[in-house]
Amino acid sequence: MMKQEVNTGGLMQNSWKLLGLLLVLYSLIWGMLGPVPKLFVLNETIRNLYYHVSMWFGMMAMMAVSLYHSIMYLSKGRIESDFKAEQFAHTGILLGLLGITTGSLWARFTWGGWWVNDPKLNGAAISLLIYFAYVILRGSLEEEQKRGRVAAVYNIFAFVLLMVFLMVYPRLNNVDSLHPGNGGNPAFSSYDLDSAMRLVFYPAVLGWILIGTWVALLGFRVKMLDYRRALESYNRPGENSTTL
Amino acid sequence: MKLLSAFLFFCLLSMPLLANTPAEPEMAEALRSSGKIYVVVLVIALVFVGLGIYLFRLDRKVSKLEKESQSDKS
């Protein structure tokens, strides 16, 4: 049924998109039905690992790709890189927002509050604010090259802070975190996280990264269409572009 | 004797506590054994497949626009 939809641009070119959808579909189905370790407090909510944590892995992947394109923009100066960096950051922010809301919901029923004073939560909130600032900064500059350069430099700075706030700071020894693998809590590997859970979690992460890439590239293509159209109408005599 | 009866008394007192602590974490076994979980999973899967089809349609529309803008130029 879905294969019929994949008839533009060749099957090979689109097969990774279908793969992303199928991986996530598999994680949705088997994540609900598959065996999970029986743990107190978590109970069935341990299944949220497949859905909540994969949002964050996806977000970090999107931000890494965004960083790559920002660096490419700074070295080559092509507008495509700037647009790609922007679109991947947007998709990353979307995944991050989904991660923080699902995490808050999960925390309400396992840790007892919508927001607990956990370094990973606060770090995630700060990182999201940093990326909001990226969007605002980029949107506030009109001139194309200046906007691209300032946004790219800021994006590098934002990614470093993201790594610090999500990966380094919660893992420091003198910091207490409820998240597994942080502040002396048992890590991912000792969730009893047997191969059964890994078998769902890793495909889910890969699937969401593929879908995120797809969505970001869709946004990028629309952006390029808009840009080219604006450029053409600007070059045409008698018409003035407002969207450039 | 007094000590033994006191011990037994406290044993009895702690009985309800024992009953309240389950031997193992509670999982949604009833939902699974009744088979209703499959209904939920099917709904989730359908919603997601619908979203996937929508994404492919969107992709195709963008491809069409790209082709049009390419042919406009040449």
Side-chain angles (χ1 to χ4, degrees):
Chain A
M1 186 181 174
M2 279 171 58
K3 275 224 169 89
Q4 288 171 356
E5 302 291 324
V6 202
N7 49 18
T8 43
L11 193 67
M12 278 310 288
Q13 211 184 327
N14 279 326
S15 56
W16 62 274
K17 298 167 184 173
L18 189 63
L19 178 70
L21 286 177
L22 289 178
L23 284 174
V24 172
L25 186 64
Y26 156 75
S27 81
L28 288 176
I29 294 171
W30 201 239
M32 293 289 278
L33 298 176
V36 290
K38 292 180 178 183
L39 297 178
F40 285 108
V41 181
L42 280 174
N43 302 75
E44 291 278 359
T45 70
I46 194 169
R47 291 175 198 277
N48 272 351
L49 176 91
Y50 306 137
Y51 313 120
H52 160 75
V53 185
S54 49
M55 289 295 114
W56 289 111
F57 276 58
M59 184 245 200
M60 279 187 263
M62 292 303 107
M63 294 318 186
V65 177
S66 175
L67 172 78
Y68 166 77
H69 286 297
S70 278
I71 292 170
M72 285 314 284
Y73 182 77
L74 287 177
S75 70
K76 299 265 162 61
R78 294 177 64 216
I79 187 80
E80 282 90 342
S81 305
D82 182 39
F83 285 162
K84 271 185 186 158
E86 184 203 21
Q87 291 305 316
F88 273 97
H90 282 184
T91 315
I93 287 171
L94 174 67
L95 291 177
L97 282 174
L98 289 171
I100 215 161
T101 41
T102 53
S104 179
L105 190 67
W106 196 5
R108 169 65 187 81
F109 293 99
T110 48
W111 296 341
W114 294 106
W115 196 267
V116 293
N117 204 12
D118 184 89
K120 201 144 193 165
L121 265 75
N122 292 331
I126 294 167
S127 333
L128 273 178
L129 290 176
I130 289 167
Y131 275 100
F132 288 161
Y134 167 78
V135 175
I136 293 167
L137 177 73
R138 207 182 168 286
S140 67
L141 291 166
E142 284 287 321
E143 207 257 303
E144 191 183 296
Q145 293 192 353
K146 189 201 266 174
R147 181 184 62 201
R149 274 201 305 273
V150 170
V153 170
Y154 182 86
N155 199 18
I156 294 170
F157 165 75
F159 189 79
V160 172
L161 286 184
L162 176 75
M163 287 296 111
V164 169
F165 279 118
L166 285 188
M167 309 301 281
V168 182
Y169 171 59
R171 283 188 170 79
L172 295 178
N173 277 333
N174 57 346
V175 171
D176 280 328
S177 175
L178 290 162
H179 275 90
N182 298 299
N185 273 316
F188 196 21
S189 53
S190 52
Y191 248 127
D192 275 26
L193 189 91
D194 32 50
S195 42
M197 276 193 96
R198 284 169 197 279
L199 226 58
V200 181
F201 177 68
Y202 292 133
V205 168
L206 182 64
W208 281 114
I209 289 174
L210 288 175
I211 292 178
T213 306
W214 183 11
V215 170
L217 286 179
L218 268 180
F220 161 73
R221 286 159 67 189
V222 171
K223 196 100 188 169
M224 281 310 290
L225 279 170
D226 190 45
Y227 176 75
R228 290 228 175 86
R229 198 198 53 192
L231 210 64
E232 274 158 27
S233 67
Y234 185 76
N235 290 336
R236 221 171 286 150
E239 276 181 55
N240 271 322
S241 160
T242 47
T243 50
L244 189 59
Chain B
M1 191 62 211
K2 216 173 187 179
L3 194 73
L4 188 68
S5 58
F7 175 73
L8 285 174
F9 176 70
F10 283 116
C11 276
L12 276 175
L13 264 186
S14 63
M15 279 291 276
L17 281 176
L18 280 172
N20 279 340
T21 2
E24 57 171 30
E26 203 181 312
M27 305 302 265
E29 307 290 356
L31 185 68
R32 259 156 244 286
S33 65
S34 72
K36 290 271 167 45
I37 185 75
Y38 298 109
V39 182
V40 179
V41 171
L42 207 61
V43 168
I44 293 173
L46 275 174
V47 168
F48 186 74
V49 167
L51 276 173
I53 290 172
Y54 178 78
L55 261 178
F56 268 116
R57 287 180 63 87
L58 203 62
D59 195 302
R60 199 162 53 178
K61 275 177 195 161
V62 174
S63 298
K64 224 176 96 189
L65 281 173
E66 276 170 344
K67 264 178 211 142
E68 278 172 20
S69 111
Q70 286 295 322
S71 59
D72 276 357
K73 225 184 276 172
S74 52

